[in-house]
């Protein structure tokens, strides 16, 4: 049981170090996902299965998908396709797959051993729930408000400004320049062209 | 000194640091058999989710405006 903890810890440290030293963002993302999964296994061996499941679902599932989404969104087109071909050469994914394979073997072993492998006095999810909705209720409410603020903020920041506005702004500055330079004909024709 | 200059890598490193703090809380909770450590980890999880949503939205705005994710491209504060 302690051996499983140490193996998972070593995998977490190695994958995090490799993540920090990768120069390519996608390679770093692969190692970061392995690192989060390793930390989840560490949580399980420490006797916190609920937190381990949340780590996999929320961190490795939701947050990493957001990262992958943004990385893939920022390079579109032919160039992006070629870059993806370069990213997914066999030399790239063998490292993360090896580390993830170690973790899978470990998890299979832990599942086979069953709950007997959990350390004595492990904190059960029930206790966590009672503490969460008992003395920490105000914290839960604050976390929900924080998530709402994050949602509204992300929506506001991610909003693509209407491109018509920018075109309008460009036309206005063009017209203002034409008026300022005394070319009234140009300014008037431009204004006439804009009025329906 | 900041070595990595990519904004997305900066955000990923932030995730690693938050994860390390949460790991410390869970280990302490397991050591003294208290549920508090796991509760605090849940709060850290919620905070990390909100932070990464806003951070990635900011990254997309920055890329749209500067056509670059280099931290040095943002060093000039002009309007």
């Amino acid at each position: 049981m302690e051996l499983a903890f140490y193996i998972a810890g070593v995998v977490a440290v190695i994958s995090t170090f490799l993540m920090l030293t990768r120069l390519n963002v996608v390679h770093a993302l692969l190692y970061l996902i392995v690192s989060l999964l390793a930390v989840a296994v560490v949580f399980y061996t420490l006797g916190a299965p609920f937190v381990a499941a949340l780590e996999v679902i929320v961190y490795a599932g939701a947050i990493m998908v957001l990262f992958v989404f943004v990385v893939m969104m920022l390079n579109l087109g032919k160039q992006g396709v070629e870059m993806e071909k370069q990213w997914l050469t066999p030399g790239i994914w063998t490292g993360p797959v090896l580390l993830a394979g170690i973790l899978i073997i470990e998890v299979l072993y832990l599942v086979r051993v069953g709950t007997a492998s959990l350390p004595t006095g492990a904190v059960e999810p029930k206790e966590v729930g009672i503490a969460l909705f008992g003395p920490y209720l105000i914290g839960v409410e604050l976390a929900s408000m924080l998530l709402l603020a994050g949602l509204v903020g992300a929506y506001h920041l991610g909003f693509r400004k209407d491109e018509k506005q920018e075109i309008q702004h460009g036309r206005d500055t063009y017209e203002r320049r034409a008026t300022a330079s005394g070319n009234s004909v140009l300014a008037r024709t431009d204004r006439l062209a804009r009025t329906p | 000194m900041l070595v990595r200059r990519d904004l997305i890598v900066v955000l990923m490193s932030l995730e690693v640091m938050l994860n390390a703090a949460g790991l410390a809380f869970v280990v302490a909770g397991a050591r003294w058999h208290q549920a508090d450590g796991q509760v605090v980890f849940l709060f850290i999880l919620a905070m990390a989710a909100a932070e990464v949503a806003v951070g990635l939205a900011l990254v997309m705005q920055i890329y749209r405006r500067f056509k670059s994710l280099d931290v040095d491209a943002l060093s000039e504060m002009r309007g």
Side-chain angles (χ1 to χ4, degrees):
Chain A
M1 196 57 211
E2 278 195 10
L3 187 66
F5 168 78
Y6 284 121
I7 292 174
V10 166
V11 168
V13 170
I14 289 175
S15 56
T16 308
F17 182 76
L18 286 172
M19 174 229 137
L20 287 174
T21 51
R22 289 311 94 173
L23 290 179
N24 200 319
V25 180
V26 175
H27 304 168
L29 264 175
L30 288 175
Y31 279 111
L32 181 56
I33 292 171
V34 175
S35 160
L36 294 174
L37 292 176
V39 172
V41 175
V42 168
F43 284 157
Y44 184 79
T45 53
L46 279 172
F50 178 57
V51 164
L54 274 182
E55 171 98 8
V56 172
I57 293 170
V58 178
Y59 257 116
I63 295 180
M64 286 306 110
V65 164
L66 268 182
F67 271 106
V68 173
F69 185 71
V70 169
V71 168
M72 296 294 169
M73 204 168 170
L74 289 184
N75 40 45
L76 299 170
K78 283 180 186 173
Q79 199 187 353
V81 173
E82 281 171 19
M83 280 174 87
E84 279 178 36
K85 270 183 194 165
Q86 284 178 4
W87 286 339
L88 289 179
T89 49
I92 296 311
W93 49 259
T94 40
V97 163
L98 262 178
L99 291 171
I102 296 174
L103 286 178
I104 283 180
I105 292 168
E106 200 173 334
V107 166
L108 284 179
Y109 167 73
L110 287 174
V111 166
R112 238 188 96 205
V113 174
T115 52
S117 62
L118 284 179
T120 53
V123 182
E124 303 227 338
K126 189 182 168 188
E127 291 174 52
V128 178
I130 289 171
L132 200 58
F133 290 100
Y136 285 101
L137 188 60
I138 188 75
V140 175
E141 297 294 336
L142 285 176
S144 72
M145 283 171 68
L146 178 72
L147 281 175
L148 179 66
L151 173 73
V152 174
Y155 176 74
H156 178 71
L157 287 172
F159 194 70
R160 188 186 290 270
K161 212 186 277 177
D162 201 3
E163 291 187 359
K164 275 183 193 168
Q165 274 182 2
E166 288 176 15
I167 294 170
Q168 187 68 41
H169 179 69
R171 271 186 185 163
D172 283 346
T173 46
Y174 176 70
E175 186 181 315
R176 222 176 295 133
R177 268 185 207 146
T179 319
S181 64
N183 193 344
S184 57
V185 180
L186 184 60
R188 204 182 307 135
T189 49
D190 191 55
R191 199 175 297 139
L192 283 177
R194 267 179 49 205
T195 43
Chain B
M1 185 182 120
L2 273 172
V3 179
R4 300 305 300 266
R5 292 291 179 183
D6 198 329
L7 264 178
I8 291 184
V9 177
V10 172
L11 274 179
M12 283 161 62
S13 308
L14 209 56
E15 291 297 309
V16 171
M17 285 193 275
L18 285 174
N19 212 8
L23 179 66
F25 272 110
V26 172
V27 169
R31 168 65 182 79
W32 283 286
H33 304 302
Q34 297 288 321
D36 301 341
Q38 297 190 30
V39 170
V40 175
F41 180 78
L42 292 187
F43 291 151
I44 290 176
L45 202 69
M47 195 206 66
E51 173 257 332
V52 84
V54 175
L56 285 175
L58 273 174
V59 163
M60 293 198 54
Q61 280 285 353
I62 286 166
Y63 186 75
R64 210 173 284 154
R65 216 163 273 192
F66 293 89
K67 297 295 168 206
S68 159
L69 286 182
D70 200 343
V71 183
D72 288 334
L74 311 173
S75 58
E76 300 172 36
M77 291 255 304
R78 48 192 173 103

